[in-house]
Amino acid sequence: DNALCKMAEVDEKVEVPPAADAPEDIEEEELGAERVKQVVKVHPVVLFSILDHYIHRNEGQGRVIGTLLGTRSSTAVVVKNCFPVPHVEKGEEEVAVGKDFLKTMLALHERVNANEEVLGWYATASDGNIMINQQSCLIQDFFSAEYPDPVHMVVDTSLANNVLSVKAFLSDSVQLMPDQVLAAAFSQLKVELQCSEPERIGM
């Protein structure tokens, strides 16, 4: 499944240009066959942490976001840890991300797990909300500027039919000219649950 969003540069605060002139069809091949074949393997503790973050979100906050940590190879992205990142969304025109908080948390995490790297970011979705929206593109652009090939993982907290739905995406920029980014094409990756022996016993 592909999704299409208009992109803009992201820092702490971002204003989004209208997306009406973005093209309607983006071929999955543009992302590169090898990247799209990657499998995202998620440890249960990550999903529990994301659900806990959502449950304890600020009043009136629609969704929460955070950073994904773990290891990666040419065939798999293994998500072992995560931590929340404060952010504010104002309509479809502005997103504020806690960049300093992210860097501070990452520095603390690296003291304990130096072998884990930033793999991307997570967001929650609920009540039938779309998985990727305009703000998602801006946050993805922010992570892309800081870290290589960030994975975007979406956790559906509505628990429809008592199922926890988890989807993961990679993005690629669509350019008309070398210095002009027009849009971001998201391509879905396969997601698997990976349990260590202690996690298997705990579940």
Side-chain angles (χ1 to χ4, degrees), residues 95-107:
V95 178
V97 177
K99 184 176 180 180
D100 291 340
F101 179 89
L102 188 159
K103 291 188 177 298
T104 299
M105 287 294 294
L106 181 58

Side-chain angles (χ1 to χ4, degrees), residues 53-101:
H53 183 195
Y54 179 75
I55 291 171
H56 294 95
R57 70 193 184 280
N58 294 331
E59 183 177 356
Q61 188 174 12
R63 66 172 180 171
V64 296
I65 71 169
T67 301
L68 301 174
L69 301 146
T71 59
R72 72 167 78 218
S73 67
S74 59
T75 58
V77 175
V78 183
V79 185
K80 300 179 179 180
N81 280 298
C82 67
F83 61 79
V85 175
H87 87 296
V88 177
E89 299 179 15
K90 297 181 180 179
E92 293 187 357
E93 298 183 354
E94 191 174 289
V95 178
V97 177
K99 184 176 180 180
D100 291 340
F101 179 89

Side-chain angles (χ1 to χ4, degrees), residues 1-3 26-41 72-77 149-151 167-173 185-192:
D1 296 337
N2 287 339
I26 300 296
E27 295 294 331
E28 184 174 271
E29 288 77 11
E30 293 180 10
L31 287 176
E34 294 305 315
R35 294 172 69 231
V36 173
K37 288 179 181 178
Q38 284 185 318
V39 177
V40 178
K41 300 181 179 183
R72 72 167 78 218
S73 67
S74 59
T75 58
V77 175
D149 251 2
V151 171
K167 295 184 178 181
F169 304 87
L170 274 179
S171 71
D172 201 14
S173 60
F186 284 80
S187 189
Q188 190 169 336
L189 305 176
K190 182 179 180 181
V191 177
E192 296 178 354

